[in-house]
PDB file of all heavy atoms in Angstrom:
ATOM      1  N   ASN A   1       0.863  -1.178  -0.001  1.00 98.00           N
ATOM      2  CA  ASN A   1      -0.005   0.001  -0.007  1.00 98.00           C
ATOM      3  C   ASN A   1       0.903   1.227  -0.004  1.00 98.00           C
ATOM      4  O   ASN A   1       1.930   1.237   0.694  1.00 98.00           O
ATOM      5  CB  ASN A   1      -0.887  -0.008   1.252  1.00 98.00           C
ATOM      6  CG  ASN A   1      -1.802   1.196   1.306  1.00 98.00           C
ATOM      7  OD1 ASN A   1      -2.535   1.469   0.370  1.00 98.00           O
ATOM      8  ND2 ASN A   1      -1.775   1.921   2.416  1.00 98.00           N
ATOM      9  N   TYR A   2       0.514   2.240  -0.785  1.00 98.00           N
ATOM     10  CA  TYR A   2       1.338   3.447  -0.905  1.00 98.00           C
ATOM     11  C   TYR A   2       0.503   4.711  -0.721  1.00 98.00           C
ATOM     12  O   TYR A   2      -0.663   4.765  -1.120  1.00 98.00           O
ATOM     13  CB  TYR A   2       2.005   3.506  -2.292  1.00 98.00           C
ATOM     14  CG  TYR A   2       2.977   2.391  -2.555  1.00 98.00           C
ATOM     15  CD1 TYR A   2       2.566   1.226  -3.181  1.00 98.00           C
ATOM     16  CD2 TYR A   2       4.302   2.507  -2.174  1.00 98.00           C
ATOM     17  CE1 TYR A   2       3.461   0.185  -3.428  1.00 98.00           C
ATOM     18  CE2 TYR A   2       5.208   1.478  -2.411  1.00 98.00           C
ATOM     19  CZ  TYR A   2       4.767   0.326  -3.030  1.00 98.00           C
ATOM     20  OH  TYR A   2       5.674  -0.687  -3.271  1.00 98.00           O
ATOM     21  N   ALA A   3       1.148   5.720  -0.179  1.00 98.00           N
ATOM     22  CA  ALA A   3       0.533   7.038  -0.172  1.00 98.00           C
ATOM     23  C   ALA A   3       0.457   7.532  -1.614  1.00 98.00           C
ATOM     24  O   ALA A   3       1.334   7.234  -2.436  1.00 98.00           O
ATOM     25  CB  ALA A   3       1.375   8.000   0.669  1.00 98.00           C
ATOM     26  N   ASP A   4      -0.577   8.295  -1.908  1.00 98.00           N
ATOM     27  CA  ASP A   4      -0.768   8.795  -3.272  1.00 98.00           C
ATOM     28  C   ASP A   4       0.445   9.601  -3.731  1.00 98.00           C
ATOM     29  O   ASP A   4       0.816   9.572  -4.914  1.00 98.00           O
ATOM     30  CB  ASP A   4      -2.014   9.661  -3.361  1.00 98.00           C
ATOM     31  CG  ASP A   4      -3.298   8.831  -3.281  1.00 98.00           C
ATOM     32  OD1 ASP A   4      -3.240   7.606  -3.493  1.00 98.00           O
ATOM     33  OD2 ASP A   4      -4.359   9.422  -3.019  1.00 98.00           O
ATOM     34  N   SER A   5       1.072  10.297  -2.808  1.00 97.00           N
ATOM     35  CA  SER A   5       2.171  11.190  -3.164  1.00 97.00           C
ATOM     36  C   SER A   5       3.423  10.454  -3.630  1.00 97.00           C
ATOM     37  O   SER A   5       4.306  11.065  -4.231  1.00 97.00           O
ATOM     38  CB  SER A   5       2.525  12.090  -1.990  1.00 97.00           C
ATOM     39  OG  SER A   5       2.890  11.303  -0.862  1.00 97.00           O
ATOM     40  N   VAL A   6       3.512   9.152  -3.355  1.00 98.00           N
ATOM     41  CA  VAL A   6       4.719   8.404  -3.722  1.00 98.00           C
ATOM     42  C   VAL A   6       4.449   7.282  -4.697  1.00 98.00           C
ATOM     43  O   VAL A   6       5.390   6.617  -5.164  1.00 98.00           O
ATOM     44  CB  VAL A   6       5.422   7.835  -2.466  1.00 98.00           C
ATOM     45  CG1 VAL A   6       5.695   8.934  -1.449  1.00 98.00           C
ATOM     46  CG2 VAL A   6       4.638   6.678  -1.854  1.00 98.00           C
ATOM     47  N   LYS A   7       3.208   7.073  -5.055  1.00 98.00           N
ATOM     48  CA  LYS A   7       2.876   5.992  -5.998  1.00 98.00           C
ATOM     49  C   LYS A   7       3.618   6.186  -7.314  1.00 98.00           C
ATOM     50  O   LYS A   7       3.650   7.287  -7.866  1.00 98.00           O
ATOM     51  CB  LYS A   7       1.365   5.956  -6.256  1.00 98.00           C
ATOM     52  CG  LYS A   7       0.569   5.317  -5.142  1.00 98.00           C
ATOM     53  CD  LYS A   7      -0.918   5.281  -5.466  1.00 98.00           C
ATOM     54  CE  LYS A   7      -1.709   4.644  -4.337  1.00 98.00           C
ATOM     55  NZ  LYS A   7      -3.171   4.692  -4.582  1.00 98.00           N
ATOM     56  N   GLY A   8       4.194   5.094  -7.788  1.00 97.00           N
ATOM     57  CA  GLY A   8       4.935   5.147  -9.041  1.00 97.00           C
ATOM     58  C   GLY A   8       6.378   5.576  -8.868  1.00 97.00           C
ATOM     59  O   GLY A   8       7.182   5.468  -9.819  1.00 97.00           O
ATOM     60  N   ARG A   9       6.746   6.058  -7.682  1.00 98.00           N
ATOM     61  CA  ARG A   9       8.131   6.514  -7.441  1.00 98.00           C
ATOM     62  C   ARG A   9       8.828   5.657  -6.397  1.00 98.00           C
ATOM     63  O   ARG A   9      10.024   5.431  -6.468  1.00 98.00           O
ATOM     64  CB  ARG A   9       8.153   7.972  -6.989  1.00 98.00           C
ATOM     65  CG  ARG A   9       7.558   8.934  -7.984  1.00 98.00           C
ATOM     66  CD  ARG A   9       7.784  10.388  -7.562  1.00 98.00           C
ATOM     67  NE  ARG A   9       7.146  10.727  -6.299  1.00 98.00           N
ATOM     68  CZ  ARG A   9       7.795  11.194  -5.234  1.00 98.00           C
ATOM     69  NH1 ARG A   9       9.096  11.398  -5.267  1.00 98.00           N
ATOM     70  NH2 ARG A   9       7.134  11.493  -4.118  1.00 98.00           N
ATOM     71  N   PHE A  10       8.084   5.211  -5.392  1.00 98.00           N
ATOM     72  CA  PHE A  10       8.658   4.437  -4.287  1.00 98.00           C
ATOM     73  C   PHE A  10       8.174   2.985  -4.376  1.00 98.00           C
ATOM     74  O   PHE A  10       7.061   2.701  -4.814  1.00 98.00           O
ATOM     75  CB  PHE A  10       8.204   5.005  -2.946  1.00 98.00           C
ATOM     76  CG  PHE A  10       8.759   6.342  -2.583  1.00 98.00           C
ATOM     77  CD1 PHE A  10       9.474   7.126  -3.490  1.00 98.00           C
ATOM     78  CD2 PHE A  10       8.586   6.846  -1.287  1.00 98.00           C
ATOM     79  CE1 PHE A  10       9.979   8.358  -3.153  1.00 98.00           C
ATOM     80  CE2 PHE A  10       9.102   8.076  -0.927  1.00 98.00           C
ATOM     81  CZ  PHE A  10       9.777   8.840  -1.862  1.00 98.00           C
ATOM     82  N   THR A  11       9.044   2.080  -3.924  1.00 98.00           N
ATOM     83  CA  THR A  11       8.705   0.664  -3.861  1.00 98.00           C
ATOM     84  C   THR A  11       9.151   0.082  -2.531  1.00 98.00           C
ATOM     85  O   THR A  11      10.316   0.217  -2.150  1.00 98.00           O
ATOM     86  CB  THR A  11       9.381  -0.111  -5.003  1.00 98.00           C
ATOM     87  OG1 THR A  11       8.994   0.442  -6.266  1.00 98.00           O
ATOM     88  CG2 THR A  11       8.969  -1.580  -4.969  1.00 98.00           C
ATOM     89  N   ILE A  12       8.227  -0.550  -1.834  1.00 98.00           N
ATOM     90  CA  ILE A  12       8.537  -1.219  -0.576  1.00 98.00           C
ATOM     91  C   ILE A  12       8.683  -2.718  -0.855  1.00 98.00           C
ATOM     92  O   ILE A  12       7.952  -3.289  -1.683  1.00 98.00           O
ATOM     93  CB  ILE A  12       7.465  -0.960   0.489  1.00 98.00           C
ATOM     94  CG1 ILE A  12       7.913  -1.489   1.853  1.00 98.00           C
ATOM     95  CG2 ILE A  12       6.119  -1.538   0.095  1.00 98.00           C
ATOM     96  CD1 ILE A  12       7.006  -1.072   3.012  1.00 98.00           C
ATOM     97  N   SER A  13       9.652  -3.337  -0.187  1.00 98.00           N
ATOM     98  CA  SER A  13       9.850  -4.771  -0.320  1.00 98.00           C
ATOM     99  C   SER A  13      10.389  -5.327   0.979  1.00 98.00           C
ATOM    100  O   SER A  13      10.836  -4.579   1.840  1.00 98.00           O
ATOM    101  CB  SER A  13      10.790  -5.073  -1.477  1.00 98.00           C
ATOM    102  OG  SER A  13      12.064  -4.509  -1.271  1.00 98.00           O
ATOM    103  N   ARG A  14      10.350  -6.640   1.119  1.00 97.00           N
ATOM    104  CA  ARG A  14      10.847  -7.263   2.327  1.00 97.00           C
ATOM    105  C   ARG A  14      11.559  -8.560   1.992  1.00 97.00           C
ATOM    106  O   ARG A  14      11.241  -9.224   1.011  1.00 97.00           O
ATOM    107  CB  ARG A  14       9.701  -7.513   3.317  1.00 97.00           C
ATOM    108  CG  ARG A  14       8.660  -8.519   2.866  1.00 97.00           C
ATOM    109  CD  ARG A  14       7.447  -8.524   3.808  1.00 97.00           C
ATOM    110  NE  ARG A  14       7.788  -8.898   5.161  1.00 97.00           N
ATOM    111  CZ  ARG A  14       6.982  -8.666   6.215  1.00 97.00           C
ATOM    112  NH1 ARG A  14       5.823  -8.039   6.037  1.00 97.00           N
ATOM    113  NH2 ARG A  14       7.344  -9.051   7.420  1.00 97.00           N
ATOM    114  N   ASP A  15      12.523  -8.914   2.847  1.00 95.00           N
ATOM    115  CA  ASP A  15      13.257 -10.163   2.755  1.00 95.00           C
ATOM    116  C   ASP A  15      13.104 -10.849   4.098  1.00 95.00           C
ATOM    117  O   ASP A  15      13.819 -10.530   5.052  1.00 95.00           O
ATOM    118  CB  ASP A  15      14.715  -9.887   2.416  1.00 95.00           C
ATOM    119  CG  ASP A  15      15.510 -11.167   2.186  1.00 95.00           C
ATOM    120  OD1 ASP A  15      15.101 -12.230   2.694  1.00 95.00           O
ATOM    121  OD2 ASP A  15      16.560 -11.086   1.541  1.00 95.00           O
ATOM    122  N   ASN A  16      12.164 -11.771   4.169  1.00 93.00           N
ATOM    123  CA  ASN A  16      11.885 -12.413   5.460  1.00 93.00           C
ATOM    124  C   ASN A  16      13.032 -13.295   5.941  1.00 93.00           C
ATOM    125  O   ASN A  16      13.196 -13.495   7.142  1.00 93.00           O
ATOM    126  CB  ASN A  16      10.595 -13.236   5.361  1.00 93.00           C
ATOM    127  CG  ASN A  16       9.362 -12.367   5.265  1.00 93.00           C
ATOM    128  OD1 ASN A  16       9.347 -11.219   5.709  1.00 93.00           O
ATOM    129  ND2 ASN A  16       8.315 -12.911   4.656  1.00 93.00           N
ATOM    130  N   ALA A  17      13.812 -13.810   5.025  1.00 92.00           N
ATOM    131  CA  ALA A  17      14.931 -14.664   5.421  1.00 92.00           C
ATOM    132  C   ALA A  17      16.018 -13.850   6.131  1.00 92.00           C
ATOM    133  O   ALA A  17      16.755 -14.382   6.974  1.00 92.00           O
ATOM    134  CB  ALA A  17      15.517 -15.357   4.206  1.00 92.00           C
ATOM    135  N   LYS A  18      16.097 -12.554   5.797  1.00 94.00           N
ATOM    136  CA  LYS A  18      17.131 -11.695   6.390  1.00 94.00           C
ATOM    137  C   LYS A  18      16.568 -10.686   7.382  1.00 94.00           C
ATOM    138  O   LYS A  18      17.327  -9.875   7.914  1.00 94.00           O
ATOM    139  CB  LYS A  18      17.879 -10.960   5.277  1.00 94.00           C
ATOM    140  CG  LYS A  18      18.638 -11.868   4.326  1.00 94.00           C
ATOM    141  CD  LYS A  18      19.372 -11.066   3.272  1.00 94.00           C
ATOM    142  CE  LYS A  18      20.160 -11.972   2.338  1.00 94.00           C
ATOM    143  NZ  LYS A  18      20.871 -11.206   1.289  1.00 94.00           N
ATOM    144  N   ASN A  19      15.277 -10.738   7.630  1.00 95.00           N
ATOM    145  CA  ASN A  19      14.632  -9.772   8.541  1.00 95.00           C
ATOM    146  C   ASN A  19      14.875  -8.331   8.090  1.00 95.00           C
ATOM    147  O   ASN A  19      15.225  -7.468   8.905  1.00 95.00           O
ATOM    148  CB  ASN A  19      15.124  -9.964   9.976  1.00 95.00           C
ATOM    149  CG  ASN A  19      14.466 -11.141  10.670  1.00 95.00           C
ATOM    150  OD1 ASN A  19      13.905 -12.023  10.010  1.00 95.00           O
ATOM    151  ND2 ASN A  19      14.527 -11.182  11.984  1.00 95.00           N
ATOM    152  N   LEU A  20      14.694  -8.096   6.803  1.00 97.00           N
ATOM    153  CA  LEU A  20      14.925  -6.756   6.267  1.00 97.00           C
ATOM    154  C   LEU A  20      13.700  -6.265   5.504  1.00 97.00           C
ATOM    155  O   LEU A  20      13.001  -7.047   4.853  1.00 97.00           O
ATOM    156  CB  LEU A  20      16.133  -6.761   5.319  1.00 97.00           C
ATOM    157  CG  LEU A  20      17.507  -6.940   5.943  1.00 97.00           C
ATOM    158  CD1 LEU A  20      18.554  -7.214   4.872  1.00 97.00           C
ATOM    159  CD2 LEU A  20      17.894  -5.704   6.753  1.00 97.00           C
ATOM    160  N   VAL A  21      13.499  -4.960   5.563  1.00 98.00           N
ATOM    161  CA  VAL A  21      12.501  -4.305   4.725  1.00 98.00           C
ATOM    162  C   VAL A  21      13.169  -3.113   4.071  1.00 98.00           C
ATOM    163  O   VAL A  21      14.004  -2.453   4.695  1.00 98.00           O
ATOM    164  CB  VAL A  21      11.253  -3.911   5.525  1.00 98.00           C
ATOM    165  CG1 VAL A  21      11.574  -2.920   6.619  1.00 98.00           C
ATOM    166  CG2 VAL A  21      10.167  -3.374   4.612  1.00 98.00           C
ATOM    167  N   TYR A  22      12.828  -2.851   2.821  1.00 98.00           N
ATOM    168  CA  TYR A  22      13.457  -1.813   2.037  1.00 98.00           C
ATOM    169  C   TYR A  22      12.432  -0.799   1.538  1.00 98.00           C
ATOM    170  O   TYR A  22      11.247  -1.117   1.364  1.00 98.00           O
ATOM    171  CB  TYR A  22      14.165  -2.410   0.814  1.00 98.00           C
ATOM    172  CG  TYR A  22      15.173  -3.479   1.137  1.00 98.00           C
ATOM    173  CD1 TYR A  22      14.863  -4.829   0.965  1.00 98.00           C
ATOM    174  CD2 TYR A  22      16.439  -3.144   1.586  1.00 98.00           C
ATOM    175  CE1 TYR A  22      15.795  -5.813   1.238  1.00 98.00           C
ATOM    176  CE2 TYR A  22      17.382  -4.126   1.855  1.00 98.00           C
ATOM    177  CZ  TYR A  22      17.044  -5.458   1.690  1.00 98.00           C
ATOM    178  OH  TYR A  22      17.971  -6.437   1.963  1.00 98.00           O
ATOM    179  N   LEU A  23      12.920   0.392   1.272  1.00 98.00           N
ATOM    180  CA  LEU A  23      12.133   1.384   0.585  1.00 98.00           C
ATOM    181  C   LEU A  23      13.012   1.988  -0.510  1.00 98.00           C
ATOM    182  O   LEU A  23      13.938   2.729  -0.224  1.00 98.00           O
ATOM    183  CB  LEU A  23      11.640   2.492   1.513  1.00 98.00           C
ATOM    184  CG  LEU A  23      10.692   3.505   0.869  1.00 98.00           C
ATOM    185  CD1 LEU A  23       9.354   2.844   0.505  1.00 98.00           C
ATOM    186  CD2 LEU A  23      10.446   4.694   1.798  1.00 98.00           C
ATOM    187  N   GLN A  24      12.718   1.618  -1.750  1.00 98.00           N
ATOM    188  CA  GLN A  24      13.424   2.177  -2.887  1.00 98.00           C
ATOM    189  C   GLN A  24      12.701   3.443  -3.301  1.00 98.00           C
ATOM    190  O   GLN A  24      11.494   3.414  -3.598  1.00 98.00           O
ATOM    191  CB  GLN A  24      13.438   1.179  -4.056  1.00 98.00           C
ATOM    192  CG  GLN A  24      14.101   1.712  -5.305  1.00 98.00           C
ATOM    193  CD  GLN A  24      15.584   1.963  -5.130  1.00 98.00           C
ATOM    194  OE1 GLN A  24      16.299   1.148  -4.539  1.00 98.00           O
ATOM    195  NE2 GLN A  24      16.073   3.083  -5.639  1.00 98.00           N
ATOM    196  N   MET A  25      13.435   4.547  -3.302  1.00 98.00           N
ATOM    197  CA  MET A  25      12.840   5.851  -3.598  1.00 98.00           C
ATOM    198  C   MET A  25      13.497   6.421  -4.844  1.00 98.00           C
ATOM    199  O   MET A  25      14.715   6.655  -4.856  1.00 98.00           O
ATOM    200  CB  MET A  25      13.039   6.798  -2.419  1.00 98.00           C
ATOM    201  CG  MET A  25      12.503   6.242  -1.109  1.00 98.00           C
ATOM    202  SD  MET A  25      12.573   7.436   0.245  1.00 98.00           S
ATOM    203  CE  MET A  25      14.345   7.607   0.437  1.00 98.00           C
ATOM    204  N   ASN A  26      12.710   6.630  -5.875  1.00 98.00           N
ATOM    205  CA  ASN A  26      13.195   7.186  -7.131  1.00 98.00           C
ATOM    206  C   ASN A  26      12.515   8.523  -7.398  1.00 98.00           C
ATOM    207  O   ASN A  26      11.489   8.841  -6.789  1.00 98.00           O
ATOM    208  CB  ASN A  26      12.916   6.218  -8.283  1.00 98.00           C
ATOM    209  CG  ASN A  26      13.593   4.887  -8.122  1.00 98.00           C
ATOM    210  OD1 ASN A  26      14.700   4.806  -7.572  1.00 98.00           O
ATOM    211  ND2 ASN A  26      12.962   3.818  -8.582  1.00 98.00           N
ATOM    212  N   SER A  27      13.083   9.266  -8.325  1.00 98.00           N
ATOM    213  CA  SER A  27      12.522  10.567  -8.704  1.00 98.00           C
ATOM    214  C   SER A  27      12.194  11.409  -7.487  1.00 98.00           C
ATOM    215  O   SER A  27      11.096  11.971  -7.374  1.00 98.00           O
ATOM    216  CB  SER A  27      11.259  10.352  -9.553  1.00 98.00           C
ATOM    217  OG  SER A  27      11.542   9.588 -10.700  1.00 98.00           O
ATOM    218  N   LEU A  28      13.137  11.512  -6.590  1.00 98.00           N
ATOM    219  CA  LEU A  28      12.917  12.221  -5.340  1.00 98.00           C
ATOM    220  C   LEU A  28      12.664  13.693  -5.566  1.00 98.00           C
ATOM    221  O   LEU A  28      13.245  14.320  -6.466  1.00 98.00           O
ATOM    222  CB  LEU A  28      14.080  12.018  -4.393  1.00 98.00           C
ATOM    223  CG  LEU A  28      14.084  10.638  -3.705  1.00 98.00           C
ATOM    224  CD1 LEU A  28      15.473  10.293  -3.176  1.00 98.00           C
ATOM    225  CD2 LEU A  28      13.057  10.611  -2.586  1.00 98.00           C
TER     226      LEU A  28
END
């Protein structure tokens, strides 16, 4: 789920094996 202001620019992902979550932010 994304805020309207970041849709198409940000991507959230997770790696459960490594206990990590990421936020890729483009076109800042």
Side-chain angles (χ1 to χ4, degrees):
N1 180 53
Y2 296 93
D4 287 343
S5 59
V6 307
K7 282 181 181 176
R9 300 188 298 123
F10 291 10
T11 302
I12 188 170
S13 61
R14 65 190 298 163
D15 185 337
N16 288 335
K18 297 181 179 179
N19 282 18
L20 289 168
V21 62
Y22 304 102
L23 185 68
Q24 178 66 43
M25 305 187 294
N26 299 327
S27 302
L28 283 161

